[in-house]
């Protein structure tokens, strides 16, 4: 397991790619410290500039000579291992990845490392998008093409209330929610940003009109939720994973106590409320006040349903 974790480590994979890029450029001529730092900033993490250039310069990683030239005769290449090929083949079995039309070349005859039914998601909604529906696939790929070509879209969709709408819009980006197992399209139109679930889109047409040069999407209407987390039963890891699809800030304010700020779309407030309540007493909502009011209202309603007589006693009836 340690070997597999190292192989697919985001950190170590970044190191390999950064050093490979350095050696490729160094094969044509010597690199200065500034040039090495530039490559590391492009290929690795921000803090990597403190480790990679120094390791190469001091000879801890004996890959460059004193003039900054590569000691290798040829540019570095790293063929995929059998394990990596099996992992990639497993990913290609995912119907969500198939939406992007990946190239399976080179993986013919490779046995996948696992299959989609290997894992059971117990904390995911069962009404995810119809990824194998031909109509859904065509609409998804048309939207993707419009995003790549920076073209406007004409879409017809059904709202949550069941009403039909049609609109010409600028596609901004696609988002995926692991919890809901759904994609949604963020569009710009009439000076505001709107989110539309792809499963509600009935038809879409890519228009000849291109997105104006220099266009910047309008800011999304977002709210900020501030939470206090007590680190119990690995709660921090569970909360960060649970809300991984949201923009967030996390800071430690005391031993075992963390402040988490989540930014969310107001349209997702009801769903977010349910998710926060699922963590019980380890999460305490600090703000905004209206969200605290929603929690009190929900808990009061649940209490009245569980103990019908309690509400009557509190009201003096």
């Amino acid at each position: 397991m340690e070997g597999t974790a190292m192989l697919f480590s985001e950190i170590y994979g970044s190191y390999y790619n950064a050093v490979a890029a350095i050696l490729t450029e160094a094969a044509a001529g010597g690199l200065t410290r500034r040039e090495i730092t530039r490559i590391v900033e492009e290929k690795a993490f921000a803090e990597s500039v403190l480790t990679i250039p120094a390791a190469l310069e001091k000879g801890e990683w004996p890959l460059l000579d004193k003039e900054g030239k590569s000691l290798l005769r040829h540019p570095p290449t790293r063929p995929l291992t059998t394990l990596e090929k099996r992992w990639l083949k497993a990913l290609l079995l995912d119907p969500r990845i198939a939406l992007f039309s990946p190239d399976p070349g080179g993986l013919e005859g490779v046995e996948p490392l696992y299959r989609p039914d290997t894992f059971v998601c117990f904390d995911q909604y069962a009404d995810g998008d119809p990824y194998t529906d031909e109509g859904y696939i065509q609409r998804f790929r048309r939207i993707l093409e419009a995003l790549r070509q920076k073209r406007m879209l004409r879409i017809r969709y059904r709202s949550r209330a069941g009403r039909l709408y049609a609109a010409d819009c600028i596609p901004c980006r696609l988002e995926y929610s692991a919890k809901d197992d759904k994609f949604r399209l963020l569009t710009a139109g009439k000076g505001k940003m709107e989110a539309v679930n792809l499963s509600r889109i009935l038809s879409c047409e890519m228009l000849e009109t291109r997105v104006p040069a220099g266009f910047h999407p309008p800011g999304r209407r977002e709210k900020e939720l501030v939470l206090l987390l007590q680190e119990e039963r690995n709660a921090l890891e569970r909360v960060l994973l649970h809300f991984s699809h949201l923009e967030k800030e996390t800071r430690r304010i005391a031993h075992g106590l963390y402040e988490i700020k989540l930014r969310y779309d107001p349209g997702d407030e009801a769903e977010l409320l349910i998710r926060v309540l699922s963590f019980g007493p380890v999460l305490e909502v600090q703000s905004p006040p209206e969200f605290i009011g929603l929690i009190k209202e929900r808990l009061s309603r649940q209490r009245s349903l569980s103990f019908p007589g309690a509400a009557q006693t509190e009201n003096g009836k």
Side-chain angles (χ1 to χ4, degrees):
M1 291 299 292
E2 290 184 2
T4 303
M6 182 72 74
L7 178 63
F8 297 116
S9 167
E10 182 180 9
I11 296 176
Y12 285 97
S14 179
Y15 281 179
Y16 296 147
N17 291 331
V19 173
I22 291 170
L23 293 175
T24 298
E25 291 199 22
L31 293 179
T32 65
R33 175 65 179 261
R34 177 175 293 182
E35 290 171 327
I36 292 174
T37 300
R38 170 185 57 80
I39 296 172
V40 173
E41 289 176 343
E42 293 175 355
K43 302 291 183 180
F45 300 98
E47 61 271 18
S48 299
V49 297
L50 302 175
T51 55
I52 296 179
L56 291 170
E57 191 175 54
K58 295 177 181 178
E60 295 177 16
W61 298 351
L63 300 171
L64 300 177
D65 62 18
K66 294 181 179 180
E67 296 179 353
K69 295 182 179 179
S70 173
L71 296 177
L72 303 180
R73 293 182 180 180
H74 305 285
T77 59
R78 191 175 71 84
L80 295 176
T81 64
T82 301
L83 177 60
E84 288 174 314
K85 289 182 179 180
R86 294 187 61 195
W87 178 68
L88 289 173
K89 190 62 174 287
L91 292 182
L92 292 180
L93 296 179
D94 190 319
R96 294 164 296 187
I97 291 180
L99 293 170
F100 296 89
S101 305
D103 181 8
L107 299 177
E108 297 83 358
V110 175
E111 181 68 21
L113 187 62
Y114 57 85
R115 298 189 178 277
D117 58 1
T118 301
F119 304 100
V120 177
C121 298
F122 60 87
D123 61 346
Q124 186 180 71
Y125 287 100
D127 62 341
D129 282 357
Y131 300 116
T132 58
D133 179 77
E134 284 300 324
Y136 179 93
I137 295 172
Q138 290 178 6
R139 291 188 292 273
F140 185 97
R141 292 178 177 170
R142 191 167 294 131
I143 290 169
L144 197 62
E145 189 64 22
L147 285 167
R148 289 170 175 166
Q149 294 189 21
K150 299 185 182 302
R151 301 259 290 274
M152 292 187 64
L153 281 173
R154 177 170 295 155
I155 61 174
R156 290 180 61 253
Y157 63 96
R158 192 179 301 276
S159 70
R160 292 182 180 181
R163 295 179 181 176
L164 289 175
Y165 291 91
D168 290 355
C169 60
I170 297 175
C172 296
R173 67 175 181 268
L174 285 168
E175 287 185 345
Y176 173 74
S177 169
K179 182 72 176 179
D180 299 327
D181 191 24
K182 295 178 184 294
F183 280 96
R184 65 182 180 183
L185 172 67
L186 294 184
T187 68
K190 297 181 180 179
K192 62 180 180 179
M193 188 83 80
E194 297 287 348
V196 183
N197 285 357
L198 258 69
S199 58
R200 293 199 179 99
I201 296 178
L202 305 176
S203 66
C204 67
E205 175 188 354
M206 189 164 60
L207 303 178
E208 292 297 326
T209 309
R210 293 191 174 274
V211 177
F215 167 77
H216 295 287
R220 296 179 63 184
R221 295 181 304 113
E222 288 188 332
K223 288 186 176 182
E224 184 176 80
L225 178 64
V226 181
L227 305 168
L228 278 184
L229 180 140
Q230 294 283 348
E231 176 63 313
E232 299 177 10
R233 302 186 301 278
N234 209 24
L236 179 61
E237 181 178 345
R238 290 188 291 116
V239 167
L240 293 181
L241 180 63
H242 202 74
F243 298 112
S244 60
H245 62 295
L246 297 177
E247 183 182 351
K248 66 182 70 60
E249 294 178 15
T250 305
R251 69 183 183 96
R252 180 181 175 184
I253 58 178
H255 179 69
L257 186 64
Y258 296 84
E259 179 187 75
I260 302 175
K261 295 180 180 180
L262 302 175
R263 280 173 279 279
Y264 65 95
D265 190 294
D268 298 331
E269 194 163 60
E271 176 62 29
L272 186 62
L273 174 66
I274 297 172
R275 297 186 186 188
V276 169
L277 287 173
S278 70
F279 283 92
V282 301
L283 272 185
E284 179 184 337
V285 178
Q286 296 290 292
S287 66
E290 55 269 24
F291 198 94
I292 296 175
L294 291 174
I295 287 182
K296 291 180 178 179
E297 180 183 341
R298 175 63 66 95
L299 292 177
S300 177
R301 188 162 66 248
Q302 289 180 347
R303 186 167 183 264
S304 65
L305 292 173
S306 302
F307 307 99
Q312 294 182 359
T313 301
E314 290 178 357
N315 295 328
K317 295 181 180 180

